[in-house]
Amino acid sequence: MNKSNGKIINFKDISKFKHPWAIKNDFLIFKKAEKDYQKYLFFLTKKLNYYFNKNFSVKFWEIILGEFIIGIIHIFYERLLFINKYKKKYKFQISSNTINIKTYEEFRLYSENIHEYIHNYILKHYKNKNFILSKQKKTSEELNSIDINKKNYKESIYKLFYGFRNSISGSTKNHYVIAPSTGLNRDNSFLKKFNIFYIDNKNKSTIDYLLRKKLSKCNQKKYDQKFINLIFKLMPISYLENFDYNYSQILKKYSSTKYLISKYLNDQVRFLSAYLIEKKRKIIRLQHGGNYWIYKYNFFTNFEVRNCTYYLPWGKYHNKNKKCIIFGYSNDLLISDKNFNIKKNKSKCLIFLDRGKQFHRAWNSGFFKNLDMKNNLNINLSPLLKKINNKDFKKNIVLRMHKSNEDFKKHIKENYSNYEISDYDKNLKRILDNSKITVHTYFSTSFVDTIISNIPSILITKIDTNVYNKFSKKILISLMKNHIVFESPTLLYKFIEKNWKNIDKWWHHKNTQLVRKDFLMNYCFENKNLNAHLSNLIKKTNLERRKSF
């Protein structure tokens, strides 16, 4: 029997209980979530258009609110499922924390706080006689965006330069705009026409509770009033109290924008993207994550593709999609540096760790197999590292941290102190330059980075039909036959130990390289002419637009 403080479950002890989805994978939840997503997106479109006196399309509001809405739905489903599973045998101890969310970035990064808030909200507002609440002392917590976006020297220079440039140029020189952090090098004459997107953040940081209470009122029975209340309690300030400011800045600086190239959307880029879609102008979206096209279901992939004009995936697997005209890996972090394999006598085995958060923030079929990241990591690492007999292998293991929370960092340093630990902030290129082999404990961009750079790479994953789509499963099986993918961590470490002195011989074997190239072609194609192809696409669409007039 699960135990936590007798018969009382405190939120911090939830990880000690078996997750209901670990008992039974409910894949039908994705269809239900999509249905609820569309329902509440339509509701918010009508409500916010009325309040702001606008007539924006559903697609406009989806670009701004979509990822936030699906995040709320996902967390609500997960927390409600857990409560319903254990409410008959346990009481729940809750707090009365309040959270003020300024941006979607805060919502995303502080997902564990959001999980706790929604957990408490369900217990307070959807309670029944099957459980009793034991309240803690009331506290208040405000997520501080300064903590998230730590200011540094480069950021200060960036803001100074682009803030000054925008203040004197107005909207006249912003026909072509590129968002920061796309990974593209503007190394040809045409792409140099694109100005870096920038809006000075002078937003309000206070919540108008009366406004939110007013907007949350709904008299239609098909909507859950309590859930609508929750949406408005957690809606980022940038989408409501700061909507007028953010939208006015787009009109002031970017009303003439014809093309936008972006990868990751912060809130300001969301507003520009929504504006351009509404005006039927062009948005070119670049693939953001390494596992976007491998899963049987992935909300964020579908969301990004349907809300742009053209989509640039990394691989050619998607060439049947009319929006996916150009293909190529756009992250220049590693591709631009070809010196990894020059150095001989490499010695390190670099193991990439997951972020180790207790709760997921993604919404894809992969999380059913990784519900407890910390526990899964311990299973893959701790008992198996102890079995390694090769002293040279063992002493050269380096654990590479993801951008994790402080609790997980502490856990790693306390439990794996015998191994070298590389923090997320440390220079990755320098570590890879000395890495004989890399091991990836989850399907991520880091796996793409190393395999495209031809650094010996191994992925640990269960090839589950319910998780991966049919094509990805076929590719993964091919990689597994050539020891690039392992389902069993035990077999993986035995393989490395056995081949420690001959890693290059295995990696550069004809068969290994053939399946590697097949994977690259479909998932992270190295397109050396990517910028030229992108320039030609924009020129072509420009020409077609002129002919239509």
Side-chain angles (χ1 to χ4, degrees):
M1 179 183 290
N2 295 311
K3 290 184 178 181
S4 177
N5 298 330
K7 284 284 185 176
I8 297 177
I9 298 178
N10 192 302
F11 185 79
K12 65 181 179 62
D13 297 320
I14 280 179
S15 61
K16 298 176 182 179
F17 290 76
K18 196 170 184 66
H19 196 294
W21 276 330
I23 300 169
K24 181 182 178 181
N25 297 159
D26 183 11
F27 288 91
L28 292 176
I29 202 77
F30 295 123
K31 290 185 178 180
K32 186 177 186 303
E34 285 279 6
K35 187 176 179 180
D36 282 347
Y37 172 78
Q38 295 297 335
K39 182 169 74 172
Y40 287 101
L41 174 62
F42 181 76
F43 169 81
L44 290 170
T45 296
K46 291 185 67 177
K47 179 71 72 169
L48 295 176
N49 270 339
Y50 179 79
Y51 173 71
F52 290 112
N53 194 25
K54 304 292 184 183
N55 191 30
F56 293 138
S57 65
V58 174
K59 189 170 283 291
F60 174 95
W61 288 108
E62 181 180 30
I63 292 172
I64 293 175
L65 298 172
E67 290 177 283
F68 162 72
I69 295 171
I70 199 65
I72 291 283
I73 292 172
H74 164 205
I75 297 171
F76 183 86
Y77 281 5
E78 188 173 354
R79 298 276 53 87
L80 182 62
L81 186 69
F82 181 89
I83 290 169
N84 287 338
K85 173 68 179 176
Y86 293 105
K87 67 183 180 181
K88 292 183 180 180
K89 294 182 179 180
Y90 295 91
K91 300 175 185 178
F92 294 88
Q93 185 175 11
I94 69 168
S95 64
S96 299
N97 292 355
T98 59
I99 298 179
N100 299 339
I101 303 170
K102 300 181 188 67
T103 65
Y104 174 73
E105 183 70 2
E106 290 184 352
F107 179 89
R108 191 178 72 91
L109 290 179
Y110 285 90
S111 59
E112 296 189 15
N113 300 74
I114 307 299
H115 268 270
E116 182 176 10
Y117 182 89
I118 293 178
H119 174 84
N120 292 336
Y121 183 88
I122 292 171
L123 289 168
K124 291 177 189 175
H125 298 281
Y126 291 82
K127 63 183 180 179
N128 56 57
K129 62 182 180 180
N130 289 326
F131 57 87
I132 301 172
L133 306 181
S134 177
K135 296 185 179 180
Q136 296 175 323
K137 185 178 179 180
K138 185 176 180 179
T139 60
S140 177
E141 179 178 2
E142 181 173 340
L143 302 183
N144 194 331
S145 59
I146 296 175
D147 294 332
I148 296 173
N149 304 307
K150 292 181 180 178
K151 295 183 178 180
N152 54 45
Y153 177 75
K154 288 184 178 180
E155 183 181 355
S156 299
I157 296 295
Y158 172 86
K159 287 186 174 182
L160 179 66
F161 176 77
Y162 289 108
F164 174 74
R165 191 216 63 179
N166 283 353
S167 68
I168 61 174
S169 66
S171 64
T172 57
K173 294 185 179 181
N174 286 322
H175 296 311
Y176 301 95
V177 176
I178 186 168
S181 304
T182 59
L184 287 174
N185 286 323
R186 293 182 296 154
D187 58 358
N188 65 37
S189 57
F190 184 79
L191 287 182
K192 286 178 180 177
K193 293 181 179 180
F194 280 76
N195 288 327
I196 303 293
F197 175 80
Y198 174 77
I199 287 180
D200 194 17
N201 189 353
K202 294 181 180 179
N203 288 331
K204 304 172 185 176
S205 59
T206 55
I207 287 180
D208 187 336
Y209 292 101
L210 291 176
L211 168 64
R212 290 173 180 244
K213 186 176 181 179
K214 176 183 176 182
L215 290 176
S216 64
K217 289 182 179 179
C218 175
N219 297 319
Q220 294 176 272
K221 291 183 178 181
K222 66 178 179 179
Y223 298 109
D224 181 347
Q225 179 64 66
K226 295 173 184 177
F227 186 73
I228 291 174
N229 293 345
L230 177 64
I231 289 175
F232 277 102
K233 284 178 181 293
L234 292 177
M235 186 177 289
I237 295 172
S238 57
Y239 300 161
L240 200 55
E241 286 83 357
N242 287 320
F243 176 89
D244 286 332
Y245 173 79
N246 285 325
Y247 189 68
S248 68
Q249 289 299 299
I250 297 300
L251 294 179
K252 182 179 179 181
K253 301 294 184 184
Y254 295 97
S255 60
S256 66
T257 300
K258 300 175 182 177
Y259 286 88
L260 169 67
I261 301 175
S262 66
K263 181 186 285 186
Y264 173 75
L265 301 185
N266 62 26
D267 284 345
Q268 284 78 21
V269 179
R270 287 177 200 278
F271 274 86
L272 177 56
S273 299
Y275 171 79
L276 295 179
I277 284 290
E278 200 72 3
K279 295 295 182 180
K280 301 188 184 312
R281 297 175 192 173
K282 307 298 182 184
I283 296 176
I284 299 173
R285 187 77 185 267
L286 279 63
Q287 181 176 330
H288 174 61
N291 58 24
Y292 269 36
W293 301 92
I294 65 169
Y295 292 127
K296 194 170 185 177
Y297 177 86
N298 190 332
F299 170 84
F300 295 105
T301 303
N302 301 333
F303 173 84
E304 290 182 8
V305 173
R306 69 173 173 259
N307 289 308
C308 66
T309 314
Y310 298 107
Y311 193 83
L312 274 60
W314 294 348
K316 290 192 172 183
Y317 166 50
H318 322 286
N319 57 8
K320 292 181 181 180
N321 190 313
K322 293 181 180 179
K323 289 188 176 183
C324 301
I325 296 176
I326 302 173
F327 311 90
Y329 189 52
S330 60
N331 187 347
D332 65 349
L333 172 65
L334 298 172
I335 295 175
S336 61
D337 192 336
K338 294 297 182 181
N339 296 319
F340 293 121
N341 296 309
I342 295 176
K343 185 176 179 179
K344 296 181 179 180
N345 301 320
K346 298 181 180 184
S347 60
K348 301 296 182 182
C349 173
L350 183 61
I351 301 177
F352 286 84
L353 307 182
D354 206 337
R355 59 177 50 88
K357 287 186 175 292
Q358 186 175 348
F359 303 104
H360 286 266
R361 67 186 184 204
W363 189 238
N364 60 57
S365 53
F367 69 72
F368 282 133
K369 298 302 177 184
N370 196 20
L371 292 165
D372 188 340
M373 286 184 261
K374 187 182 291 185
N375 184 52
N376 286 354
L377 187 64
N378 288 337
I379 292 172
N380 289 342
L381 278 178
S382 184
L384 300 168
L385 292 179
K386 293 176 182 177
K387 296 178 182 179
I388 296 174
N389 296 316
N390 187 314
K391 293 182 179 179
D392 185 50
F393 172 25
K394 195 164 189 172
K395 76 177 183 180
N396 281 295
I397 289 174
V398 180
L399 305 180
R400 172 71 176 180
M401 296 287 294
H402 194 282
K403 191 175 183 179
S404 307
N405 56 4
E406 292 303 318
D407 287 342
F408 186 64
K409 286 182 180 180
K410 184 180 178 182
H411 170 77
I412 292 296
K413 289 175 181 178
E414 287 178 352
N415 291 276
Y416 300 96
S417 57
N418 293 333
Y419 301 95
E420 182 182 344
I421 297 173
S422 170
D423 283 336
Y424 179 83
D425 294 332
K426 287 187 178 179
N427 189 299
L428 179 57
K429 289 184 181 181
R430 192 174 300 167
I431 300 169
L432 286 174
D433 192 47
N434 198 34
S435 295
K436 177 184 284 194
I437 188 169
T438 63
V439 176
H440 304 263
T441 57
Y442 65 112
F443 207 127
S444 65
T445 306
S446 63
F447 179 63
V448 173
D449 284 334
T450 58
I451 201 168
I452 200 173
S453 300
N454 212 8
I455 300 170
S457 309
I458 292 178
L459 171 68
I460 307 174
T461 186
K462 292 285 185 182
I463 307 175
D464 192 312
T465 304
N466 288 321
V467 173
Y468 297 111
N469 59 48
K470 290 181 180 179
F471 185 81
S472 297
K473 183 181 176 183
K474 181 181 176 181
I475 294 289
L476 289 170
I477 290 173
S478 178
L479 292 173
M480 185 169 66
K481 288 178 180 179
N482 290 274
H483 310 296
I484 296 176
V485 167
F486 281 82
E487 290 190 296
S488 166
T490 302
L491 294 178
L492 180 152
Y493 289 110
K494 284 183 178 179
F495 172 80
I496 297 178
E497 191 168 34
K498 181 180 177 181
N499 295 278
W500 182 247
K501 293 183 179 180
N502 298 297
I503 294 295
D504 284 342
K505 183 179 179 182
W506 153 70
W507 185 253
H508 293 287
H509 188 277
K510 179 182 177 181
N511 292 341
T512 308
Q513 287 296 307
L514 280 175
V515 295
R516 168 185 167 267
K517 289 176 181 177
D518 186 39
F519 173 81
L520 292 178
M521 181 62 70
N522 285 288
Y523 292 104
C524 46
F525 174 62
E526 185 177 357
N527 186 350
K528 295 180 180 179
N529 299 312
L530 179 62
N531 285 3
H533 291 167
L534 180 56
S535 298
N536 290 336
L537 171 65
I538 297 169
K539 290 175 184 177
K540 181 181 176 181
T541 53
N542 257 338
L543 184 62
E544 290 173 350
R545 186 176 63 84
R546 288 170 188 157
K547 287 182 178 180
S548 66
F549 285 109

